[in-house]
Amino acid sequence: MAATAHALHILVKHKALAEDIIKQLGKGAKFQTLAKKHSSCPSGKKGGDLGEFRRGQMVPQFDKVAFSGAILDPHLVKTKFGWHVIKVLYRT
């Protein structure tokens, strides 16, 4: 079982925008570019890069995807902060 994960994310207020971002990613858009343009999280300035984090550091819904979702595929997750598009880069 992985102890740490490294992920990128884009945080938005509306599900429709999050779904549109996933569609754009599917058409080849760069995750970092979309994060800088749309994310309301401070990590957006860094292309959505959250760096490496430990299991339990993020809210439960985010943690579940970060530690069990497919790597490199965009995932849509709702938390108390809004809608996240999450891309897990790796787990260790």
Side-chain angles (χ1 to χ4, degrees):
M1 183 178 277
T4 65
H6 186 160
L8 308 175
H9 88 132
I10 300 170
L11 176 63
V12 296
K13 290 205 181 298
H14 303 287
K15 183 179 183 182
L17 178 55
E19 290 171 336
D20 183 59
I21 288 168
I22 289 175
K23 284 180 190 166
Q24 289 180 57
L25 291 169
K27 293 178 182 173
K30 299 276 187 227
F31 197 100
Q32 290 85 345
T33 303
L34 293 175
K36 287 176 183 174
K37 182 175 180 182
H38 297 289
S39 188
S40 61
C41 180
S43 68
K45 293 184 178 89
K46 298 183 291 181
D49 194 343
L50 295 170
E52 198 170 280
F53 51 90
R54 295 194 164 288
R55 186 181 294 272
Q57 274 188 272
M58 304 297 181
V59 292
Q61 303 92 327
F62 193 105
D63 230 36
K64 183 178 179 185
V65 168
F67 288 95
S68 64
I71 292 178
L72 300 179
D73 290 341
H75 300 277
L76 181 61
V77 176
K78 181 164 184 7
T79 70
K80 63 183 178 180
F81 301 107
W83 291 91
H84 302 259
V85 177
I86 304 170
K87 181 178 180 180
V88 180
L89 300 180
Y90 64 84
R91 295 183 194 106
T92 58

